[in-house]
Amino acid sequence: NAGVTQTPKFRVLKTGQSMTLLCAQDMNHEYMYWYRQDPGMGLRLIHYSVGEGTTAKGEVPDGYNVSRLKKQNFLLGLESAAPSQTSVYFCASSYAGLAGADTQYFGPGTRLTVL
Amino acid sequence: RKEVEQDPGPFNVPEGATVAFNCTYSNSASQSFFWYRQDCRKEPKLLMSVYSSGNEDGRFTAQLNRASQYISLLIRDSKLSDSATYLCVVNPYNNDMRFGAGTRLTVKP
């Protein structure tokens, strides 16, 4: 099993450009999440999904959109990138929801710089 | 006030030392608690869940104090391989997680 994979690993964008980050998991997990990690702030939840075809907002959803067309994939889109979106983005998945105290498995991260 | 607060450290300790980290959370209705470990430029990985009665996993002991709204992690007999950032994580609502900024630990020979 590859676990949780993310593409790309690194990306540099100019302000106003768009891009999509791809997360894939091969563990048949129902729940998937997108976080961003900034220095001194810890990880913050952007969006999450509780199953194929569903998405929900997290703590910091503005400027991002997501889609979960297939159970194994969770896409994060930036329509018009801003320097404030420079961050490390982590995808995670879990078998059950977090209220059930289920373990989250994280991908290796995508380092995004917006100039 | 941050929802989850940790001492950022760094904690620099010699091999074999015992070190303790504390974490406080603001939402008294929080249900689930965890410690994750994150190595430099890597993804977080679950170290252990934290249960009301306290729990131990080898050299690691986690405690939860709901009345005071804090969580602790004790590492005994520190190893060089324990050097990492330790993240306190709290689940205040369904399918949501709040991460502390992390406490950095360096174990030196």
Side-chain angles (χ1 to χ4, degrees):
Chain A
N1 286 353
V4 181
T5 58
Q6 292 181 232
T7 49
K9 288 185 169 51
F10 305 92
R11 186 72 187 269
V12 178
L13 290 178
K14 293 181 180 178
T15 297
Q17 287 185 316
S18 63
M19 78 164 294
T20 300
L21 282 67
L22 171 63
C23 175
Q25 53 94 4
D26 61 3
M27 296 176 282
N28 201 34
H29 285 169
E30 288 294 335
Y31 294 75
M32 296 186 74
Y33 315 84
W34 275 108
Y35 293 90
R36 59 178 288 173
Q37 186 174 32
D38 302 296
M41 297 196 69
L43 280 81
R44 290 181 291 169
L45 184 64
I46 304 170
H47 286 281
Y48 64 94
S49 167
V50 302
E52 182 178 318
T54 73
T55 62
K57 294 181 180 180
E59 184 184 1
V60 289
D62 294 341
Y64 305 95
N65 57 76
V66 289
S67 64
R68 183 104 179 263
L69 298 179
K70 293 183 178 181
K71 184 177 183 178
Q72 63 268 34
N73 295 338
F74 195 29
L75 278 63
L76 178 71
L78 286 72
E79 290 186 349
S80 179
S84 60
Q85 294 178 304
T86 294
S87 189
V88 180
Y89 291 86
F90 286 102
C91 176
S93 70
S94 63
Y95 182 72
L98 299 175
D102 196 31
T103 302
Q104 285 196 330
Y105 296 87
F106 284 83
T110 295
R111 294 182 180 277
L112 175 66
T113 301
V114 183
L115 302 175
Chain B
R1 180 187 172 192
K2 291 181 181 178
E3 289 195 54
V4 180
E5 296 211 55
Q6 296 182 248
D7 181 343
F11 284 63
N12 297 311
V13 303
E15 270 188 293
T18 295
V19 61
F21 306 136
N22 289 327
C23 165
T24 58
Y25 60 95
S26 60
N27 189 329
S28 60
S30 297
Q31 295 299 313
S32 306
F33 309 90
F34 312 86
W35 283 102
Y36 275 72
R37 170 197 168 124
Q38 186 173 25
D39 293 300
C40 189
R41 301 179 76 84
K42 297 286 190 181
E43 71 272 23
K45 292 183 179 179
L46 180 68
L47 179 66
M48 58 197 304
S49 301
V50 186
Y51 303 118
S52 296
S53 55
N55 47 300
E56 188 174 307
D57 183 3
R59 298 181 293 108
F60 299 85
T61 301
Q63 298 278 354
L64 168 63
N65 185 320
R66 284 189 184 270
S68 301
Q69 294 177 214
Y70 83 78
I71 307 151
S72 65
L73 177 68
L74 183 75
I75 305 175
R76 291 182 299 278
D77 189 22
S78 299
K79 311 290 185 192
L80 295 176
S81 57
D82 293 334
S83 296
T85 296
Y86 291 83
L87 308 176
C88 174
V89 187
V90 174
N91 167 225
Y93 324 104
N94 287 350
N95 303 314
D96 198 356
M97 291 271 251
R98 293 288 187 263
F99 284 73
T103 298
R104 191 152 61 93
L105 171 67
T106 301
V107 181
K108 300 188 174 181

